[in-house]
Amino acid sequence: MKLALLAACAGLLLTGCSTYQAVTPVDRLDPTDPVVAFQLPAGGGPLGNYGAHGTLLCVVVNPVSGNDFVEDFLSSLRRRNFEVKVLQAQTSIAACPMVALYTARGAWYWNAYLNNADITVFRNGDRVGKAIYNANRSAGGLNLSNFVQPSAKLDELVEQLFPGMLPPPPPPAGTGAAPAA
């Protein structure tokens, strides 16, 4: 009897989870090459060439709904060789060939965590990708989203938006070529 009561209580705690995540990846322009997959031709917009770092991605941060963890988001994009330019909040989505609208809010429950995020990517003014994350705890119950580092969750969302863009990891130390004698 006690075991059944304990199992029922545990079930009620676990059913209260309400984390939601949905991602529509950005369509690749060149599906065969992940390095140029999202690049537009050089000089393809009002900001001109994209430079040596990779594809230009302009980011518009929503100042009303919050801009928590924006540096983590920008770092995640830069690790994927995007050349990131942060634009003013009132900037049109047509200001750059690729624009990401970013809104995120953090919360605190034992430590800081990502409560919700909404990232929408536009290419030439057309919506081409979207990531939504919500770690809403208002339903009660056990929710482990507050144990996930915000940078890790944002990195996961960016990877799902732009799959395969991370450069390969460097070889482990000591596996390089042997010095010549």
Side-chain angles (χ1 to χ4, degrees), residues 46-105:
L47 295 178
N49 294 330
Y50 300 106
H53 293 98
T55 302
L56 174 66
L57 179 60
C58 296
V59 174
V60 178
V61 178
N62 184 342
V64 175
S65 297
N67 57 2
D68 294 337
F69 313 115
V70 70
E71 287 304 319
D72 292 326
F73 175 63
L74 299 176
S75 294
S76 183
L77 292 171
R78 288 182 182 115
R79 278 194 305 279
R80 287 160 176 82
N81 292 319
F82 282 105
E83 185 177 327
V84 178
K85 180 173 182 162
V86 178
L87 302 177
Q88 297 294 322
Q90 303 82 4
T91 304
S92 165
I93 58 171
C96 286
M98 281 187 61
V99 176
L101 301 180
Y102 175 80
T103 302
R105 282 198 162 179

Side-chain angles (χ1 to χ4, degrees), residues 112-176:
Y113 69 96
L114 182 64
N115 190 40
N116 59 60
D118 187 334
I119 305 164
T120 307
V121 180
F122 296 87
R123 184 186 297 127
N124 296 325
D126 296 327
R127 188 178 114 176
V128 293
K130 185 162 183 77
I132 298 173
Y133 175 76
N134 191 335
N136 185 355
R137 295 181 21 218
S138 65
L142 180 64
N143 189 340
L144 302 178
S145 62
N146 55 345
F147 293 112
V148 178
Q149 290 295 317
S151 59
K153 179 49 73 175
L154 285 168
D155 201 49
E156 176 185 327
L157 292 172
V158 170
E159 177 59 29
Q160 290 177 6
L161 269 172
F162 301 102
M165 291 295 291
L166 274 176
T175 60

